[in-house]
Amino acid sequence: MTTDNQPATITRSLLFMLLLYGGMTVVAGVLAYKQIQLWPTNLAVEAGILAFLILVVISSTITQLFGQKLANKVVWWGFVPLGVSSILMQIVLQLPASVEMLEFRPDDLVAFERVHQQLWRVWLAGPAAYLVSLLLNVWIFSKLRGSGDQGTLGLMARGAIASALSQAIDSVIFITLAFYGVFEIKELLIGQMLAKIVLSFVLVPFLITGFIQLARWLDRKPL
């Protein structure tokens, strides 16, 4: 592994996390179109949170193993797959549908276009919330580390706290930018924040420790 003062070496674990990170930046936006209910509560959240929590876990894992500087770079480079996928989607939406689809599957075409023709406010809100919340997650996770490691429990606690705080900020930014003035956002905002905080404490600590163990297993041999 490396520190903030040393250049990162591409290892199996880093390559794996970079590839997964890029995929999650794209799929998070797609999953967000479905609202899911968290058992056993009645809290409804957009399903994109599941992919976004993986982004949080990966950024924290990279911070732990390779340093804060590299983790910040990964967050910024995450705009590349996000931007390319958005451009491709706009191109596809503008291209005419095939005759076969117009004739035999018109309902599929209507559903596809309805889902992916986003309002400009939603399109801008996502990247803004992504950048601020993930950079904040990396910063908090790194600062809580202090001058050394605190063992597995310390790692899990840092991951949960950093995720909970950054995800709360993510909810405020996204919902405010996307929906303020369109409808009453208070209940939606509270529900999203509570759900993300709960998931941050229930899932993130175990996912981070699991990712770190996986990284060490992958790096048993050089790439």
Side-chain angles (χ1 to χ4, degrees):
M1 305 308 172
T2 187
T3 66
D4 284 335
N5 296 321
Q6 298 174 325
T9 301
I10 297 296
T11 64
R12 279 191 175 88
S13 64
L14 183 56
L15 180 60
F16 165 76
M17 286 187 284
L18 291 176
L19 293 172
L20 183 59
Y21 190 96
M24 291 301 100
T25 61
V26 175
V27 78
V30 177
L31 295 178
Y33 287 101
K34 181 173 182 177
Q35 297 283 315
I36 58 176
Q37 183 173 316
L38 293 180
W39 183 89
T41 70
N42 291 321
L43 293 176
V45 297
E46 44 89 7
I49 185 180
L50 301 177
F52 207 90
L53 284 176
I54 295 178
L55 293 176
V56 169
V57 169
I58 294 174
S59 64
S60 296
T61 302
I62 292 177
T63 303
Q64 178 74 13
L65 299 178
F66 299 97
Q68 182 180 358
K69 182 181 292 186
L70 180 60
N72 285 334
K73 288 182 179 179
V74 171
V75 173
W76 280 101
W77 278 100
F79 275 110
V80 174
L82 184 61
V84 171
S85 63
S86 297
I87 292 172
L88 286 176
M89 180 58 69
Q90 294 305 312
I91 293 174
V92 169
L93 288 170
Q94 297 304 316
L95 291 174
S98 68
V99 175
E100 289 80 3
M101 189 167 196
L102 288 171
E103 183 175 355
F104 298 109
R105 294 189 295 162
D107 292 341
D108 291 350
L109 177 60
V110 171
F112 178 87
E113 293 183 342
R114 180 183 302 161
V115 166
H116 293 292
Q117 286 177 335
Q118 302 179 32
L119 296 176
W120 68 270
R121 286 181 60 171
V122 176
W123 189 86
L124 291 176
Y130 158 84
L131 180 63
V132 173
S133 63
L134 282 171
L135 288 177
L136 180 62
N137 175 75
V138 170
W139 182 80
I140 295 174
F141 185 81
S142 180
K143 290 301 180 183
L144 290 177
R145 185 174 188 173
S147 59
D149 293 324
Q150 297 85 31
T152 301
L153 291 179
L155 173 68
M156 296 174 75
R158 286 191 290 122
I161 294 170
S163 177
L165 293 175
S166 63
Q167 289 303 289
I169 296 299
D170 173 83
S171 296
V172 172
I173 294 174
F174 179 80
I175 294 175
T176 302
L177 291 179
F179 304 120
Y180 181 77
V182 179
F183 55 81
E184 176 57 48
I185 65 172
K186 181 179 179 181
E187 291 186 5
L188 176 62
L189 181 58
I190 293 174
Q192 291 281 314
M193 290 178 65
L194 286 176
K196 290 182 178 181
I197 290 172
V198 169
L199 288 175
S200 292
F201 280 95
V202 172
L203 294 180
V204 169
F206 301 99
L207 289 175
I208 290 177
T209 54
F211 264 68
I212 289 176
Q213 291 300 318
L214 176 61
R216 290 171 177 163
W217 180 79
L218 290 172
D219 292 340
R220 289 179 302 170
K221 296 182 180 179
L223 185 63

